[in-house]
Amino acid sequence: MASQGVGFDPEEFSRLARETGVRLRKARKPLIIVGLVIVAFVALYGSYYQVEPDEVGLVTRFGRFVRTCNPGPHAKFPFGIEQVQKVPVQRQLKQEFGFRTARADIQSSFHKDEKTEAESVMLTGDLNVATVEWIVQYKISDPYKYLFRMRDVEETFRLMTEACMRTVVGDHSVTELLTVGREAIAAKAKELLSNMCKLYDNGISVQQLILQDVDPPEPVRPSFNAVNQAIQERERAINEAWAEYNQEIPRARGLAEQKIQAAEGYAIDRVNRAKGDAQRFNALEEQYRKSPEVTRTRIYLETLAAVLPTAGKKLIFDEKAKGILPMFPLGPTQEVKP
Amino acid sequence: MSRRTLVIVGVFVVLGLATLSSALYTVSETEQVIVTQFGQPMGEAVTQAGLHVKMPFAQEANVFDKRWLEWNGNANQVPTRDKKYIGVETYARWRIANPLLFFQRLRDERRAQSRLDDIIDGETRNVIASHDLIEVVRTTNRAFEKGEEAEDIMEAESMRQIELGRDKITRLILGRVSQVVPDYGIELVDVQIQRVNYIESVQAKVFDRMISERKRIADRHRSEGQGKSAEVRGKKERELKVIESEAYRKTQDIQGRGDAEATAIYAEAYNRNRELYRFLKTMETYHSTIDKDSWLVLSTSTDVFRYLQSQTAASGGKAAAPTR
């Protein structure tokens, strides 16, 4: 429906008033004049209206929509000929689901009862139950449609939002809802709701849909916490095992390295000693070759000279005197000291 | 002007005003009007908003709403095809599409609401009862994102693929209702399932199931923790063994190499004069084998004591090996 744009004409209005005034003055009834003044006052009062900065005014004449007014002072036909409905198009409106803000303040207080509880309880896609609280922020994008297309737009919008949210939650598992899926669910629900608003053509545009508290239902909550606890336990067990691993493996690596180094030391030791011995032997052998007889005898006698004194008992006998041997006293004796 | 004429004029003015007000009627943006003459509808509905004229006194303007109107269903307890008792709340939006028919069949909105109760509730029941619960809950067959728990813990039922889904089911209800309501001059613009909930007694069972499901998940986490930590310990054991045995292998290898090289060096050196080596080694052995507990029984015929008997006897057999 297009505005006809037929404005209020003040000149015509004052002319009419003047003529009526003249006619009545002829009746010469002062009372009527007083009455006329009152009527004029009411007419003036009824023709003035003001539109606040965040609103627009929709004017209907005899019920028919004629024009939209922007913020500021305006005039209209009085006596119900023209009527104004003001719609807050600039204001961001909000609906709450699953709770109500009882008092918005620095520390807002919230209110919940059976009714809000019924709003928040819903079935998830894996046939579990969860309570979801959320808010919707919206604006009136088309005041004409908002006013005239639907009776009780706000309540309908509530129902639409609930239906959308449940549709989306019904397509997610309870775990997704409680953890990873929150944002996706909110985005999906907003999209669905926006589409539905377009379909319903209700003049509302959805600004934001934000999930608030999402919880498993009260009786089930402890078991959900138990799962979290179990996850912690699992992580702890694994961490402990890794801690042990990290304690022992580097140490074992160090020990292994130590053994290897020691073995290398041993090998080098062996080789060096062998080389030393060989060099010594070679040197000796070179000299020995020059005069083997003498060297040999010298070494032999030197050895005996060194060795013989260390022996505990020494018995030197002549092969010809064979009789001595049987008299040789066996057993320990103290008489001969080395 | 006499008093009588004044009265007559007055009467005419009043009559004229009454006629005028009866002849004029307004239709607002949200309304549509059926004009009836002595109860008989006259022509089509007036849907254009504004000031309209009718025949005074004889005709009457019957106002109907033009907007989308509410219909909110009550929570219906319905068993689904798989015998789950659920409460279903639906809402619908409808409008008076044919005011004349609406006026003839139902006269007013109150009667329309009660008729809609019958029809929509009935169809909702029918449709819900002939489908499984999962069809009402889910919309698509999207796979759940697997979080911490494994798939086999979830109810097999909830993992079932759906045939229709919530959206198609509401379209089904809408379609069925839309076949009936045009008879009443009504157009059903939308039906939505607003809420689906388990009824109280079922809900308790569902909670039990959820609790046991969570318990299973928790147990799984715990045993997974034990399993994983055992795995890590096993890995540790294995690596310890690897490290130790590797070290053993390397040390043996290195030592062996050292021994081999030393042996080769010795062999190479001693091979140059085996006799000398044997002699020297024997001498060395004397050093290490003879101590104070050893008895030496020596004959005067040995090299060293040879001269005890005769200073000259030492002329022969000196090259012979020393006493062993």
Side-chain angles (χ1 to χ4, degrees):
Chain A
M1 165 117 3
S3 157
Q4 297 264 314
V6 180
F8 173 65
D9 188 355
E11 272 183 38
E12 196 191 14
F13 182 70
S14 57
R15 186 176 53 79
L16 267 167
R18 224 181 301 122
E19 279 172 17
T20 334
V22 168
R23 234 177 286 138
L24 282 165
R25 223 176 290 130
K26 280 177 189 159
R28 288 157 207 245
K29 294 272 166 77
L31 257 171
I32 289 173
I33 292 165
V34 171
L36 253 160
V37 167
I38 291 168
V39 169
F41 184 76
V42 170
L44 266 175
Y45 185 78
S47 49
Y48 171 79
Y49 68 96
Q50 191 178 332
V51 178
E52 298 301 323
D54 58 349
E55 300 171 330
V56 291
L58 273 73
V59 182
T60 52
R61 185 185 302 146
F62 295 118
R64 185 192 177 104
F65 171 74
V66 285
R67 63 181 184 274
T68 310
C69 303
N70 289 322
H74 294 280
K76 63 175 176 67
F77 283 115
F79 309 121
I81 295 168
E82 284 191 340
Q83 280 172 331
V84 187
Q85 280 168 287
K86 294 170 192 171
V87 182
V89 285
Q90 297 296 332
R91 211 175 297 162
Q92 183 151 68
L93 305 164
K94 186 172 97 169
Q95 284 189 356
E96 297 168 328
F97 297 84
F99 70 101
R100 296 287 181 275
T101 306
R103 191 173 49 87
D105 208 333
I106 297 165
Q107 175 106 45
S108 294
S109 59
F110 302 105
H111 165 80
K112 289 181 193 183
D113 57 23
E114 259 176 47
K115 195 176 149 242
T116 61
E117 161 121 19
E119 285 169 0
S120 64
V121 173
M122 55 187 78
L123 260 65
T124 59
D126 48 357
L127 301 183
N128 287 320
V129 181
T131 61
V132 182
E133 293 171 9
W134 74 101
I135 61 153
V136 175
Q137 291 177 336
Y138 60 99
K139 268 186 173 173
I140 299 160
S141 56
D142 189 330
Y144 178 81
K145 284 174 185 164
Y146 180 81
L147 279 183
F148 302 126
R149 217 181 127 71
M150 216 175 269
R151 193 163 72 187
D152 209 352
V153 201
E154 298 280 326
E155 184 55 31
T156 306
F157 186 64
R158 275 201 88 79
L159 298 178
M160 287 157 68
T161 309
E162 275 200 39
C164 287
M165 183 53 87
R166 282 180 166 75
T167 303
V168 176
V169 167
D171 236 8
H172 288 79
S173 69
V174 69
T175 315
E176 283 177 309
L177 177 64
L178 291 170
T179 56
V180 288
R182 280 181 64 112
E183 274 175 43
I185 287 171
K188 193 88 213 302
K190 190 201 157 191
E191 190 196 324
L192 213 60
L193 185 61
S194 293
N195 290 342
M196 212 171 184
C197 283
K198 260 179 227 143
L199 198 76
Y200 281 27
D201 210 11
N202 58 3
I204 287 177
S205 76
V206 183
Q207 305 280 306
Q208 279 203 77
L209 190 150
I210 304 162
L211 286 190
Q212 308 282 324
D213 283 354
V214 180
D215 286 310
E218 195 68 59
V220 186
R221 229 163 273 180
S223 65
F224 270 82
N225 291 337
V227 170
N228 286 337
Q229 225 169 0
I231 292 173
Q232 298 301 320
E233 265 174 52
R234 185 192 63 184
E235 294 306 312
R236 209 190 54 219
I238 295 170
N239 286 341
E240 276 173 5
W242 275 113
E244 257 175 55
Y245 177 93
N246 289 333
Q247 250 170 23
E248 290 182 31
I249 295 298
R251 192 170 148 261
R253 284 225 172 87
L255 284 176
E257 191 56 32
Q258 184 193 356
K259 277 182 196 157
I260 290 165
Q261 293 294 339
E264 258 159 24
Y266 166 84
I268 290 165
D269 177 73
R270 276 303 303 262
V271 170
N272 282 340
R273 275 174 202 286
K275 279 181 183 159
D277 287 349
Q279 272 158 14
R280 181 179 167 191
F281 180 79
N282 287 346
L284 186 70
E285 199 259 352
E286 218 162 280
Q287 296 309 315
Y288 175 81
R289 207 182 289 247
K290 287 179 188 160
S291 45
E293 199 92 348
V294 172
T295 311
R296 198 182 166 94
T297 309
R298 180 182 58 81
I299 293 170
Y300 175 65
L301 290 176
E302 266 173 19
T303 305
L304 285 192
V307 167
L308 283 182
T310 61
K313 290 233 177 344
K314 289 176 278 284
L315 205 69
I316 304 161
F317 64 95
D318 195 337
E319 275 177 351
K320 290 157 198 161
K322 284 190 172 118
I324 297 169
L325 195 62
M327 287 146 50
F328 172 63
L330 295 164
T333 47
Q334 271 94 46
E335 359 168 80
V336 184
K337 297 265 166 160
Chain B
M1 224 192 290
S2 72
R3 201 180 169 80
R4 212 175 123 218
T5 43
L6 210 76
V7 169
I8 289 165
V9 166
V11 167
F12 270 103
V13 166
V14 168
L15 275 177
L17 278 175
T19 312
L20 198 69
S21 78
S22 174
L24 293 174
Y25 65 95
T26 62
V27 177
S28 89
E29 288 289 338
T30 62
E31 291 169 341
Q32 50 191 344
V33 165
I34 292 283
V35 176
T36 53
Q37 187 170 317
F38 304 115
Q40 185 68 33
M42 302 296 290
E44 287 299 303
V46 180
T47 53
Q48 180 79 355
L51 197 60
H52 293 269
V53 187
K54 65 177 173 64
M55 214 191 280
F57 309 116
Q59 290 189 340
E60 198 188 335
N62 300 277
V63 179
F64 299 99
D65 216 303
K66 203 165 67 178
R67 293 173 289 185
W68 288 23
L69 304 174
E70 309 88 328
W71 177 86
N72 297 341
N74 292 313
N76 273 322
Q77 272 192 27
V78 195
T80 58
R81 192 174 63 179
D82 48 347
K83 301 283 171 293
K84 298 254 165 60
Y85 278 83
I86 54 171
V88 180
E89 281 177 61
T90 49
Y91 80 84
R93 287 298 175 265
W94 58 283
R95 61 185 202 90
I96 301 165
N98 187 341
L100 189 60
L101 203 58
F102 183 83
F103 179 62
Q104 285 166 341
R105 296 279 155 85
L106 299 165
R107 289 209 89 81
D108 58 27
E109 215 182 278
R110 206 162 43 81
R111 247 174 258 173
Q113 290 285 5
S114 116
R115 198 58 48 88
L116 284 173
D117 283 344
D118 300 342
I119 299 167
I120 302 177
D121 275 347
E123 288 301 345
T124 305
R125 277 169 188 283
N126 290 345
V127 172
I128 300 279
S130 54
H131 291 92
D132 290 346
L133 173 60
I134 191 84
E135 302 276 346
V136 186
V137 173
R138 300 212 53 181
T139 312
T140 64
N141 271 322
R142 73 175 276 280
F144 296 139
E145 222 172 289
K146 258 167 254 143
E148 296 284 346
E149 66 256 44
E151 204 169 296
D152 57 297
I153 277 181
M154 301 227 208
E155 289 273 301
E157 181 201 355
S158 64
M159 299 307 296
R160 238 199 52 207
Q161 298 281 300
I162 53 162
E163 284 161 27
L164 293 176
R166 190 192 194 106
D167 211 32
K168 293 214 176 82
I169 282 184
T170 55
R171 293 316 90 190
L172 207 63
I173 299 172
L174 180 68
R176 289 198 192 182
V177 176
S178 293
Q179 284 178 355
V180 186
V181 289
D183 283 351
Y184 300 101
I186 290 172
E187 184 203 347
L188 195 75
V189 279
D190 197 20
V191 178
Q192 289 288 337
I193 297 171
Q194 184 205 344
R195 293 175 186 167
V196 176
N197 286 315
Y198 293 112
I199 64 163
E200 205 114 325
S201 57
V202 177
Q203 180 140 310
K205 274 185 209 135
V206 171
F207 285 173
D208 285 348
R209 194 202 71 212
M210 285 176 82
I211 289 169
S212 67
E213 205 173 275
R214 290 300 123 178
K215 205 172 161 302
R216 287 216 301 277
I217 294 170
D219 288 348
R220 172 174 288 243
H221 282 312
R222 262 188 219 104
S223 74
E224 211 176 86
Q226 285 157 4
K228 280 252 174 68
S229 63
E231 202 180 297
V232 172
R233 289 213 173 83
K235 184 177 151 73
K236 185 196 74 187
E237 296 295 327
R238 188 181 69 93
E239 261 169 56
L240 280 179
K241 288 276 181 258
V242 168
I243 290 165
E244 275 163 17
S245 61
E246 193 95 322
Y248 179 77
R249 186 179 64 72
K250 276 195 187 146
T251 54
Q252 292 306 310
D253 185 36
I254 291 164
Q255 287 180 345
R257 258 179 239 269
D259 286 342
E261 202 182 330
T263 306
I265 291 166
Y266 280 125
E268 202 219 320
Y270 298 153
N271 264 336
R272 289 169 66 176
N273 196 332
R274 286 179 217 169
E275 180 47 42
L276 176 63
Y277 171 69
R278 189 174 295 140
F279 172 67
L280 287 176
K281 207 69 194 170
T282 310
M283 291 300 109
E284 232 173 76
T285 314
Y286 289 174
H287 277 289
S288 54
T289 50
I290 295 168
D291 61 8
K292 66 179 172 60
D293 294 329
S294 313
W295 288 52
L296 284 180
V297 179
L298 300 162
S299 162
T300 47
S301 64
T302 50
D303 273 1
V304 70
F305 297 116
R306 192 177 326 170
Y307 300 104
L308 281 180
Q309 289 188 319
S310 149
Q311 205 254 323
T312 55
S315 54
K318 233 177 277 171
T323 316
R324 304 247 165 111

